[in-house]
Amino acid sequence: MKITLIDRSDPAACMTAAGLCYNAKDPYKALLNAIECGHESVLEHCKFTFLVEGVSRVLLAQLTRHRIASFSVQSQRYCGADLELVIPETIIQAGALKEAQKLAEHVNIVYDHLLSKGVPQEDARYFTLQGGMTKLTMTMNVRELRHFFSLRCCNRAQWEIRHMADEMLRVCRKEIPFMFDKAGPGCVSTGCPEGKRSCGNPRRDEEWN
């Protein structure tokens, strides 16, 4: 997995918005107060764009549930399918890597055979594996990023999208620290929202610094 920040907008727009809302003389302090009070609509005026490479289509299915975002995904229709797989560590730990690789090799053979028979890529892709790698460009505003991190940096999130969210949060904190202070799962700020389903192993804020 590789996460690259390729663009971000100036947070000054958020400061201007917060200053306007409160008729404040100091827009920076107004923005800090807005974040502290949960008035996060002003954060929608700043956005981040990431290039995400080497993730699976399992992750993609989860990621695109975050609808306040823009996604551009490498097309299997025009570019063909990437037959390289993301391999979960649990497969290796279970001693099942060879069996998994054998299945993947058979799927790849079937995919290539379909293409050789004149089946278009857009139809042959139906017989590829969800673990196949893909790449995408994704844009989210700061408010949605903070929401994304609250869900996907949680220990209960699926491991691949959690690793992605962790790396994105590290990048965001480095770029604009004050906007992402205490961003992350509830256990680093307001407390775990999972109740009885809590993992019982709260994360530490310094993990993303």
Side-chain angles (χ1 to χ4, degrees):
M1 180 187 300
K2 183 179 179 181
I3 309 294
T4 307
L5 177 66
I6 58 177
D7 189 36
R8 73 163 174 84
S9 56
D10 194 326
C14 299
M15 298 179 199
T16 299
L20 183 149
C21 287
Y22 298 109
N23 196 25
K25 293 182 179 180
D26 188 333
Y28 174 71
K29 286 185 178 180
L31 180 56
L32 291 180
N33 290 335
I35 296 173
E36 182 69 23
C37 295
H39 179 192
E40 294 195 343
S41 63
V42 294
L43 299 177
E44 295 175 17
H45 301 288
C46 180
K47 61 182 178 62
F48 282 65
T49 299
F50 294 91
L51 173 63
V52 181
E53 302 172 273
V55 295
S56 72
R57 292 197 168 251
V58 173
L59 180 145
L60 182 63
Q62 299 173 75
L63 182 61
T64 52
R65 293 173 186 166
H66 295 270
R67 293 183 294 276
I68 307 176
S70 299
F71 303 101
S72 298
V73 183
Q74 185 177 55
S75 173
Q76 286 186 324
R77 183 181 185 189
Y78 297 109
C79 303
D82 188 337
L83 300 179
E84 185 176 357
L85 297 177
V86 173
I87 306 293
E89 185 64 29
T90 52
I91 301 296
I92 300 173
Q93 292 173 353
L97 180 59
K98 288 185 179 180
E99 291 93 329
Q101 289 175 329
K102 186 175 181 180
L103 172 62
E105 289 170 4
H106 180 69
V107 169
N108 293 352
I109 291 171
V110 171
Y111 178 80
D112 289 339
H113 179 68
L114 292 173
L115 295 182
S116 72
K117 290 292 185 179
V119 176
Q121 290 176 340
E122 66 177 20
D123 292 336
R125 63 180 168 169
Y126 279 78
F127 299 92
T128 58
L129 296 173
Q130 288 193 80
M133 287 187 181
T134 190
K135 58 184 71 173
L136 64 135
T137 304
M138 177 184 71
T139 299
M140 284 185 180
N141 66 52
V142 172
R143 184 183 193 180
E144 180 59 17
L145 278 168
R146 288 170 61 96
H147 174 65
F148 175 73
F149 296 145
S150 73
L151 298 176
R152 302 303 185 175
C153 291
C154 174
N155 280 332
R156 288 182 57 81
Q158 189 264 350
W159 67 268
E160 188 183 11
I161 199 168
R162 185 175 69 249
H163 291 176
M164 174 186 169
D166 283 348
E167 184 57 31
M168 288 171 57
L169 179 51
R170 291 185 189 104
V171 171
C172 289
R173 284 195 174 186
K174 183 177 179 181
E175 288 291 314
I176 314 179
F178 74 91
M179 278 188 164
F180 294 94
D181 181 45
K182 299 299 181 183
C187 54
V188 303
S189 54
T190 58
C192 179
E194 294 285 346
K196 293 182 179 180
R197 298 192 305 168
S198 172
C199 71
N201 183 30
R203 303 194 67 178
R204 301 182 307 276
D205 189 63
E206 58 267 24
E207 292 181 50
W208 300 282
N209 293 333

